[in-house]
């Protein structure tokens, strides 16, 4: 897609800066990632709109504002070890890879994980470990994590993930409570958990042992 750099600039202005996300590092990361390569070719143009789009297997790539918002609350730096649940297309993973030191990303659908790995290898993202499996139970082997991002909706905060979050760490995820879905920021401080709503949400379900039943 020849004109994608212009489309990225328009997307950044229309859906990110105009909605109050101005962090230069996040904008720099988004500017450097061609979003159309993460969606099917028939959705290439739409990939620079703010809509969630199908990525196969009844799953979606999140809208760009949602991806930027969830990234911004994590306040990432180059020392952070991040766990991502729901690799999906790999687009959010690419943003995390730009901003953090190490990224561990878990996807339950094998084909999506393999496809995203091919794309991210092509972008030369070297600090990502891909895991295929149930991310609702996290991944103890590399715990604890400074930051955790879950891009699928759960009926409760998965306990294994809270256990694998460092003290002082931040988690962001959609939760469905009382039939309403919202994005929550969850902070763990001296073992205490605080949670706060930051936006309404419309994510696919987190399916697994500590999520919804499949
Ligand atoms: N962040 C992704 C992107 O940028 O394309 C979008 C993620 S999509 C909204 C949610 C993903 O979570 C889907 O790919 C789905 O298969 C995955 N998922 C659902 N339950 C999961 C689980 N228990 N463990 C790992 N991945 C899961």
């Amino acid at each position: 897609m020849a004109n994608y750099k212009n489309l990225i600039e328009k997307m950044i202005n229309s859906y990110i800066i105009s909605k109050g996300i101005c962090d230069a590092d996040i904008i720099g990361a988004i500017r450097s990632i061609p979003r159309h390569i993460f969606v099917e070719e028939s959705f290439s143009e739409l990939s620079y709109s703010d809509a969630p789009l199908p990525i196969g297997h009844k799953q979606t790539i999140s809208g760009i504002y949602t991806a930027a918002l969830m990234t911004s609350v994590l306040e990432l730096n180059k020392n952070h070890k991040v766990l991502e649940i729901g690799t999906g297309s790999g687009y959010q993973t690419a943003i995390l890879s730009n901003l953090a030191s190490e990224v561990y990303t878990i996807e339950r659908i094998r084909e999506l994980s393999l496809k995203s790995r091919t794309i991210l290898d092509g972008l030369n993202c070297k600090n990502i470990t891909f895991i295929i499996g149930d991310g609702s139970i996290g991944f103890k082997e590399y715990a604890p994590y400074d930051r955790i991002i879950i891009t699928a909706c759960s009926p409760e905060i998965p306990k294994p993930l809270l256990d694998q979050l460092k003290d002082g760490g931040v988690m962001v995820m959609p939760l469905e409570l009382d039939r309403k879905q919202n994005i929550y920021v969850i902070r763990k401080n001296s073992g205490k958990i605080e949670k706060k709503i930051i936006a309404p949400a419309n994510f696919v379900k987190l399916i697994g042992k500590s999520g919804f039943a499949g």
Side-chain angles (χ1 to χ4, degrees):
M1 188 191 271
N3 63 341
Y4 82 87
K5 291 203 167 158
N6 292 336
L7 295 176
I8 290 186
E9 289 310 317
K10 276 191 195 158
M11 176 183 82
I12 288 172
N13 286 320
S14 308
Y15 308 121
I16 300 177
I17 295 177
S18 71
K19 292 188 173 182
I21 299 174
C22 301
D23 183 289
D25 291 337
I26 295 177
I27 289 170
I30 288 172
R31 183 172 282 132
S32 72
I33 304 165
R35 189 166 154 87
H36 62 276
I37 65 173
F38 291 87
V39 302
E40 285 166 20
E41 226 176 312
S42 53
F43 291 104
S44 287
E45 291 278 344
L46 281 175
S47 65
Y48 294 101
S49 71
D50 191 25
L53 297 172
I55 55 172
H57 304 271
K58 298 186 181 159
Q59 308 303 322
T60 51
I61 177 173
S62 307
I64 186 64
Y65 172 68
T66 301
L69 178 68
M70 291 178 85
T71 306
S72 71
V73 296
L74 290 176
E75 297 179 342
L76 292 167
N77 70 46
K78 288 282 185 191
N79 296 316
H80 283 151
K81 178 162 54 157
V82 182
L83 177 66
E84 178 189 38
I85 315 300
T87 317
S89 70
Y91 179 75
Q92 176 79 66
T93 322
I95 297 178
L96 300 172
S97 160
N98 262 261
L99 298 171
S101 161
E102 298 161 65
V103 181
Y104 297 86
T105 184
I106 312 181
E107 170 57 56
R108 65 184 279 274
I109 300 174
R110 182 182 169 79
E111 291 79 3
L112 289 179
S113 178
L114 296 179
K115 190 172 175 193
S116 68
R117 184 186 304 210
T118 303
I119 295 172
L120 290 163
D121 283 350
L123 291 178
N124 215 17
C125 296
K126 295 199 186 295
N127 57 350
I128 305 171
T129 302
F130 296 85
I131 299 146
I132 299 170
D134 177 8
S136 76
I137 56 168
F139 203 73
K140 263 200 238 160
E141 284 80 344
Y142 298 105
Y145 302 95
D146 299 288
R147 302 289 187 258
I148 299 180
I149 175 168
I150 310 175
T151 58
C153 181
S154 175
E156 58 187 17
I157 306 172
K159 164 102 174 42
L161 294 178
L162 272 184
D163 293 342
Q164 291 170 31
L165 182 66
K166 252 189 204 167
D167 199 49
V170 182
M171 181 173 351
V172 63
M173 68 177 297
L175 281 172
E176 187 175 298
L177 304 177
D178 300 327
R179 295 191 178 186
K180 280 192 206 119
Q181 211 191 101
N182 288 294
I183 300 174
Y184 285 76
V185 182
I186 297 144
R187 292 176 196 279
K188 181 172 173 180
N189 277 317
S190 312
K192 276 193 185 160
I193 304 301
E194 273 175 27
K195 68 179 199 292
K196 185 174 122 190
I197 293 178
I198 53 161
N202 186 21
F203 279 83
V204 296
K205 287 183 174 173
L206 180 79
I207 295 173
K209 205 169 170 191
S210 294
F212 286 97

